[in-house]
Amino acid sequence: MAKSVLLALLLLAGLSAPVAFAQPMVQSGGVTSGPVVTSDKTEINPGEFVVLTIEGFTASFVTISVCGNEARRGSADCNMVASEGMRLSLDHTPTRSQIPVAAPPVGCPCVIRVSNRTNDEIAVVPITLIGHPDAPVVNGPTINNALAVSISARAASGGLLSGLRPSLGGPTTYEVTVTVKNRSTVALNQVRLSGSAGRSSTDSLAVLALDNPGEIAPGQTWQQIVSAVVPAPSFGSVEWRVAASGAGPTISATDITHHRPLLLLLLTMLLVVIVFMLAMRYRIRRRAGRGAVA
């Protein structure tokens, strides 16, 4: 019986102990996705045709407009009268279309703007409109939250040993997905990310090794998946946090994971039962010894 107790204790100590290689590591570099439009020409005369390639939209119908002022103020900078409506490929493969380029109502810098009906999917491509005047860029209304940020964490799958450790309250590896979307009408280049995890907002159990997104074009989404290890003892709730700065006010997001080390609870119950049985066995032997002396 004593050997059983010793074996269970060794199992708990061996499988729940931290290991040297259990450190946060980047699983993949950041990937940018979302609406994209490209043009076969960069210098165009008003009235000339241009071939556009449009991809990355989830919408099935978009509006194409020629805009000045980098389309900073949205439709107000665009020639909406001469805009073109287009249905995109049903299988979401790139759509190619030839359209005439009409002069916008305001000065350049000029772009061709592609947007869905609700203007939450936007792609722009810069063009030089020959003969059209330039003008200082005027910003539109300030967007309070130019970024949309989210974080999602889940326990990573692995081999037998990596699966046993979390069940015993040992170090647990999580796969964490961080997503940043540019909700503004201009490209963002200065976004900086920081992420961590803890049992409370002031606690830090792990730091996320996040890249800087680089340029995120209007309407595009940047995403990165990293792995992070919550050290032993691993149980209860963990709060995963990410903060994005460099595009107005800092935007943060959180996710909560819950972990219950079932095997640890099972072994603990087993140990309690074994200790109880040992105690009972000792009492019985002691009583039997007293009876023999009498």
Side-chain angles (χ1 to χ4, degrees), residues 58-133:
T58 60
S60 57
F61 189 86
V62 295
T63 300
I64 305 171
S65 310
V66 180
C67 311
N69 194 46
E70 293 183 338
R72 295 282 185 107
R73 295 171 297 191
S75 299
D77 291 327
C78 305
N79 189 335
M80 300 306 297
V81 175
S83 63
E84 299 272 343
M86 179 180 298
R87 185 168 296 279
L88 302 180
S89 301
L90 296 177
D91 58 359
H92 298 292
T93 56
T95 302
R96 290 171 59 87
S97 179
Q98 186 179 54
I99 66 164
V101 175
V106 296
C108 289
C110 292
V111 297
I112 296 177
R113 178 177 182 262
V114 182
S115 61
N116 67 343
R117 183 180 59 84
T118 55
N119 287 324
D120 58 356
E121 287 189 293
I122 300 173
V124 298
V125 56
I127 59 170
T128 299
L129 198 57
I130 299 172
H132 195 72

Side-chain angles (χ1 to χ4, degrees), residues 3 6 22 33 39 57 65 81 98 107 128 175 196 225 227 293:
K3 289 183 178 180
L6 181 60
S33 62
S39 170
F57 282 82
S65 310
V81 175
Q98 186 179 54
T128 299
E175 189 176 87
S196 61
I225 300 174
S227 64
V293 170

Side-chain angles (χ1 to χ4, degrees), residues 15-251:
L15 288 177
S16 62
V19 288
F21 57 80
Q23 299 295 325
M25 62 186 69
V26 176
Q27 285 186 284
S28 67
V31 176
T32 303
S33 62
V36 176
V37 57
T38 57
S39 170
D40 68 335
K41 300 175 183 177
T42 56
E43 296 187 1
I44 309 165
N45 288 294
E48 190 176 353
F49 282 81
V50 64
V51 177
L52 301 178
T53 302
I54 303 168
E55 56 187 316
F57 282 82
T58 60
S60 57
F61 189 86
V62 295
T63 300
I64 305 171
S65 310
V66 180
C67 311
N69 194 46
E70 293 183 338
R72 295 282 185 107
R73 295 171 297 191
S75 299
D77 291 327
C78 305
N79 189 335
M80 300 306 297
V81 175
S83 63
E84 299 272 343
M86 179 180 298
R87 185 168 296 279
L88 302 180
S89 301
L90 296 177
D91 58 359
H92 298 292
T93 56
T95 302
R96 290 171 59 87
S97 179
Q98 186 179 54
I99 66 164
V101 175
V106 296
C108 289
C110 292
V111 297
I112 296 177
R113 178 177 182 262
V114 182
S115 61
N116 67 343
R117 183 180 59 84
T118 55
N119 287 324
D120 58 356
E121 287 189 293
I122 300 173
V124 298
V125 56
I127 59 170
T128 299
L129 198 57
I130 299 172
H132 195 72
D134 292 334
V137 173
V138 179
N139 289 319
T142 302
I143 299 178
N144 292 330
N145 295 325
L147 296 174
V149 183
S150 67
I151 183 171
S152 175
R154 65 180 182 86
S157 58
L160 178 62
L161 183 61
S162 61
L164 282 175
R165 286 183 184 279
S167 295
L168 289 167
T172 304
T173 302
Y174 286 85
E175 189 176 87
V176 187
T177 302
V178 173
T179 304
V180 181
K181 181 176 181 180
N182 181 359
R183 299 176 61 248
S184 73
T185 58
V186 298
L188 301 176
N189 299 282
Q190 303 298 324
V191 178
R192 297 292 181 267
L193 297 174
S194 62
S196 61
R199 302 198 187 282
S200 67
S201 58
T202 57
D203 180 37
S204 183
L205 295 175
V207 176
L208 304 183
L210 296 169
D211 295 339
N212 291 321
E215 180 175 292
I216 310 176
Q220 288 199 331
T221 298
W222 179 92
Q223 186 177 87
Q224 185 177 21
I225 300 174
V226 299
S227 64
V229 176
V230 173
S234 175
F235 62 88
S237 300
V238 174
E239 180 182 273
W240 299 87
R241 307 173 288 261
V242 65
S245 59
T250 299
I251 306 297

